[in-house]
């Protein structure tokens, strides 16, 4: 990546943002707007539409019309595939611009954002473009005078609500399979990360997606998100975000049309390091990256370090070295390792977790504080806290910030017990030289993804989904497609 190019892109003014409904840019029905503030320096970048419930209803009804007249699902699979590939081409052609806009909005360091946002989004759209004409119906093995067909049909209108940490990547995880299967979509991005998603959606229309098939409504979760949740006309609701919002969405579904709700929620993922790990220095570096990149604002972040007692002190020293070697700062500088925390609210929540950990007996061995306050941005030093007990707040509650809690264990049984000792089950890792132990831990730790001798980086060929209070259903891979289709039986008497 070229720093001069990034600097030129960051200097560009950003026009006021509107909803994208029916292929047109539209204001909120009451004209209201909200500021988009950059976590890099606390300055207002522009404004966006502060949506109303009426705006959300209009977008849903537009999506319904687009679905009913089959302007998208009625096209040949080869035509739909071509449009989705073109969309991925355009995302790639605009990758740096998209990444910089996204970083100005949400603060992720550009190195990570470039790869994880436009890079991953384009790859996801391509994956489902390729998949869409390989999803076959079935013929049931039933009696000889009957033909039992199982059709796989689009569900209709999909509502998608996404968080602020990786809007394009997570947006594409929903949009790719939903659109590939012929559905219409209304998407609501997060208040603090809508810019890049809006531009990415605009590119879909440049690629030839018919108007109304994808609609984006911005604004507050409690207003437009709630309206989507309570809609009688959304068939499937897919969500990534916090458990608290996930619970609300289930209630909304129960209070409205019993829409199917899929939740990708938070985690408190254990990173378990045994003394027999092949390369402890490498493990320390990867573990540090696994919690501190994007300022810890990664759902699968390895936020609980469980380390075998005999290597505890050495391993903590190695992690602290790795943490201190990571440069925190302006996320648009290519040599920054850790960018900004997404918002003042998130930063003060992080600092409150540090306070609580201290009060509960934890020792802060590095970090624990806000840094670079003079920039006006929201930055936090990578933080390592030792002496964190299994029932401490830091072991039990998701922080979603650059804070690692360390807990020692004495044997495999204790490690497994600790690993499973939360309500979550999103991700985890085991570092060991023993193949048998690695397989045992993969079997016994209750998570959606378990890494062995690495952390993070699982690509689009494998599913990501939580168990327990980390959610249900999966994003990514062919398995994600199941969320966006209905099975319909045709029972034909011959
Ligand atoms: P959040 O739940 O506060 O917000 C997520 C989205 O929900 C936003 O668009 C928000 O506007 C909307 N929302 C808020 N209140 C709503 C309501 N009452 N009705 C409808 N929508 C509403 O979460 P966040 O702070 O943006 O994201 C962080 C959370 O997301 C963390 O818990 C993190 O672990 C989780 N996450 C999970 C995954 C995964 O794949 N499992 C990936 C990334 C993030």
């Amino acid at each position: 990546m070229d720093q001069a190019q990034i600097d030129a892109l960051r200097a560009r003014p950003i026009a006021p943002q509107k909803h994208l409904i029916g292929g047109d840019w539209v204001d909120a029905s009451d004209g209201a707007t909200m500021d988009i503030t950059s976590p890099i320096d606390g300055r207002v970048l522009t404004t966006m539409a502060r949506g109303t419930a009426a705006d959300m209803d209009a977008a849903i009804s537009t999506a319904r019309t687009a679905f009913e007249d089959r302007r998208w699902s009625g096209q040949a699979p080869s035509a739909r595939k071509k449009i989705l590939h073109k969309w991925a081409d355009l995302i790639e052609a605009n990758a740096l611009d998209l990444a910089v806009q996204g970083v100005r909005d949400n603060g992720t360091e550009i190195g990570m954002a470039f790869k994880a946002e436009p890079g991953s989004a384009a790859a996801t759209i391509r994956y489902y473009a390729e998949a869409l004409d390989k999803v076959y119906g079935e013929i049931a093995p039933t009696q000889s005078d009957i033909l039992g067909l199982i059709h796989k049909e689009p569900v209709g209108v999909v509502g998608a609500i996404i968080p602020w940490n990786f809007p394009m990547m997570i947006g594409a995880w929903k949009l790719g399979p939903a659109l590939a299967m012929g559905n219409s979509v209304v998407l609501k991005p997060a208040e603090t990360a809508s810019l890049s998603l809006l531009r990415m959606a605009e590119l879909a229309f440049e690629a030839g997606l018919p108007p109304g098939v994808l609609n984006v409504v911005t604004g507050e979760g409690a207003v437009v998100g709630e309206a989507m949740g309570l809609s009688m006309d959304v068939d499937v609701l897919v969500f990534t975000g916090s458990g608290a919002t996930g619970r609300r969405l289930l209630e909304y579904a129960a209070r409205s049309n019993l829409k199917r709700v899929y939740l990708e929620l938070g985690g408190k993922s254990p990173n378990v390091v045994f003394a027999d790990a092949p390369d402890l220095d490498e493990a320390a570096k990867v573990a540090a990256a696994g919690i501190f990149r994007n300022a810890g604002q990664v759902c699968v972040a390895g936020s609980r370090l469980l380390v075998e007692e005999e290597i505890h002190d050495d391993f903590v020293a190695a992690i602290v070295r790795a943490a201190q070697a990571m440069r925190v700062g302006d996320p648009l500088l290519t040599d920054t390792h850790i960018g900004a925390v997404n918002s003042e609210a998130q930063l003060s929540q992080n600092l409150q977790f540090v306070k609580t950990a201290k009060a509960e007996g934890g020792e802060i061995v590095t970090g624990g504080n806000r840094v670079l306050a003079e920039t006006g941005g929201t930055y936090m030093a990578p933080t390592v806290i030792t002496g964190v007990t299994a029932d401490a707040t830091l072991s039990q509650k998701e922080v979603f910030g650059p804070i690692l809690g360390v807990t020692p264990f004495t044997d495999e049984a204790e490690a497994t017990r600790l690993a499973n000792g939360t309500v979550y089950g999103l991700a985890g890792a085991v570092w060991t030289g023993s193949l048998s132990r690695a397989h045992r831990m993969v079997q016994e730790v209750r998570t959606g993804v378990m890494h062995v001798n690495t952390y993070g980086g699982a690509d689009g060929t494998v599913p990501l989904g939580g168990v327990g209070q980390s959610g249900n259903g999966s994003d990514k891979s062919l398995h994600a497609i199941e969320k966006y289709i209905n099975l319909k039986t045709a029972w034909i008497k011959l």
Side-chain angles (χ1 to χ4, degrees):
M1 269 177 309
D2 177 34
Q3 187 66 57
Q5 243 178 314
I6 294 171
D7 292 344
L9 288 167
R10 81 155 11 159
R12 287 217 311 228
I14 301 171
Q17 303 289 301
K18 303 179 179 200
H19 304 311
L20 187 49
I21 301 177
D24 293 323
W25 294 110
V26 297
D27 289 316
S29 53
D30 61 3
T33 62
M34 58 202 288
D35 287 345
I36 297 183
T37 305
S38 178
I40 298 177
D41 54 14
R43 297 215 186 122
V44 174
L45 288 170
T46 187
T47 59
M48 67 179 181
R50 183 190 288 269
T52 61
D55 297 338
M56 181 53 77
D57 290 345
I60 292 167
S61 128
T62 300
R64 174 61 61 193
T65 303
F67 181 71
E68 297 294 336
D69 69 18
R70 297 173 57 81
R71 68 185 77 166
W72 176 238
S73 65
Q75 290 193 28
S78 57
R80 281 188 281 133
K81 175 186 284 206
K82 215 168 171 178
I83 289 171
L84 292 180
H85 271 304
K86 179 89 199 301
W87 186 20
D89 292 343
L90 289 173
I91 293 170
E92 281 166 353
N94 290 275
L96 193 61
D97 189 10
L98 284 163
V100 171
Q101 278 214 34
V103 171
R104 291 173 79 186
D105 199 2
N106 84 340
T108 304
E109 55 277 6
I110 185 73
M112 183 180 226
F114 185 68
K115 200 167 152 223
E117 285 279 271
S120 158
T124 299
I125 302 300
R126 276 196 205 296
Y127 181 93
Y128 292 104
E130 280 305 321
L132 67 80
D133 55 2
K134 297 167 190 70
V135 177
Y136 288 83
E138 295 164 18
I139 299 174
T142 185
Q143 60 223 44
S144 61
D145 62 340
I146 293 287
L147 179 59
L149 300 179
I150 303 166
H151 294 283
K152 295 183 176 171
E153 297 188 326
V155 297
V157 175
V158 172
I161 301 179
I162 60 170
W164 41 261
N165 56 342
F166 294 104
M168 281 185 268
M169 176 174 82
I170 296 173
W173 287 349
K174 319 293 189 200
L175 295 175
L179 293 173
M181 291 302 105
N183 299 286
S184 295
V185 182
V186 180
L187 186 142
K188 191 217 115 34
E191 291 84 329
T192 54
S194 295
L195 271 182
S196 55
L197 198 287
L198 284 163
R199 174 73 182 128
M200 184 170 105
E202 184 181 25
L203 292 175
F205 296 104
E206 286 178 25
L209 191 74
V213 173
L214 167 58
N215 307 274
V216 182
V217 177
T218 59
E220 290 164 304
V223 179
V224 281
E226 180 172 285
M228 180 187 279
L230 287 171
S231 169
M232 295 299 287
D233 210 16
V234 167
D235 299 292
V236 164
L237 184 54
V238 288
F239 172 73
T240 296
S242 65
T245 306
R247 276 171 207 277
R248 285 205 184 93
L249 297 180
L250 292 172
E251 284 177 26
Y252 297 154
R255 282 163 51 197
S256 54
N257 64 343
L258 297 176
K259 56 181 72 63
R260 257 156 55 197
V261 179
Y262 295 100
L263 305 173
E264 302 281 339
L265 308 175
K268 193 77 222 181
S269 300
N271 197 357
V272 184
V273 183
F274 286 91
D276 69 355
D279 182 344
L280 286 169
D281 277 337
E282 171 68 7
K285 277 186 206 139
V286 175
I291 174 65
F292 298 134
R293 296 300 304 276
N294 200 18
Q297 301 162 138
V298 177
C299 56
V300 297
S303 54
R304 286 187 297 144
L305 177 65
L306 308 180
V307 57
E308 196 163 6
E309 206 155 56
E310 61 183 279
I311 55 161
H312 175 275
D313 293 355
D314 287 347
F315 197 78
V316 168
I319 282 261
V320 167
R321 274 196 305 278
Q324 290 174 348
M326 295 175 94
R327 218 179 345 265
V328 181
D330 183 337
L332 285 172
L333 296 179
T334 53
D335 61 357
T336 290
H337 299 117
I338 303 175
V341 171
N342 181 252
S343 63
E344 283 289 346
Q346 188 67 31
L347 177 56
S348 65
Q349 191 180 301
N350 293 349
L351 297 173
Q352 186 55 46
F353 269 104
V354 173
K355 248 193 195 161
T356 305
K358 241 159 114 179
E360 293 179 354
E363 187 194 343
I364 297 158
V365 286
T366 188
N369 53 308
R370 180 177 196 153
V371 293
L372 302 170
E374 68 282 5
T375 61
T378 39
Y379 299 90
M380 182 169 173
T383 300
V384 179
I385 304 180
T386 54
V388 178
T389 57
D391 58 355
T393 305
L394 196 56
S395 291
Q396 294 299 322
K397 296 261 184 272
E398 183 185 42
V399 178
F400 218 56
I403 303 177
L404 179 67
V406 187
T407 307
F409 65 83
T410 50
D411 57 22
E412 190 180 314
E414 188 184 13
T416 305
R417 206 169 45 249
L418 287 169
N420 286 332
T422 74
V423 297
Y424 297 109
L426 190 58
V430 54
W431 296 80
T432 177
S434 159
L435 189 62
S436 302
R437 170 181 279 158
H439 281 293
R440 276 196 302 271
M441 295 289 287
V442 168
Q443 279 176 21
E444 288 168 16
V445 178
R446 290 190 303 271
T447 64
V449 52
M450 193 67 180
H451 307 85
V452 177
N453 294 334
T454 187
Y455 203 99
D459 70 14
T461 62
V462 288
L464 172 66
V467 298
Q469 292 186 29
S470 288
N472 64 326
S474 296
D475 279 330
K476 304 198 300 170
S477 84
L478 295 180
H479 294 285
I481 287 174
E482 291 153 23
K483 298 193 287 192
Y484 303 99
I485 53 175
N486 286 330
L487 298 180
K488 180 191 273 174
T489 294
W491 188 255
I492 302 167
K493 181 93 173 78
L494 301 178

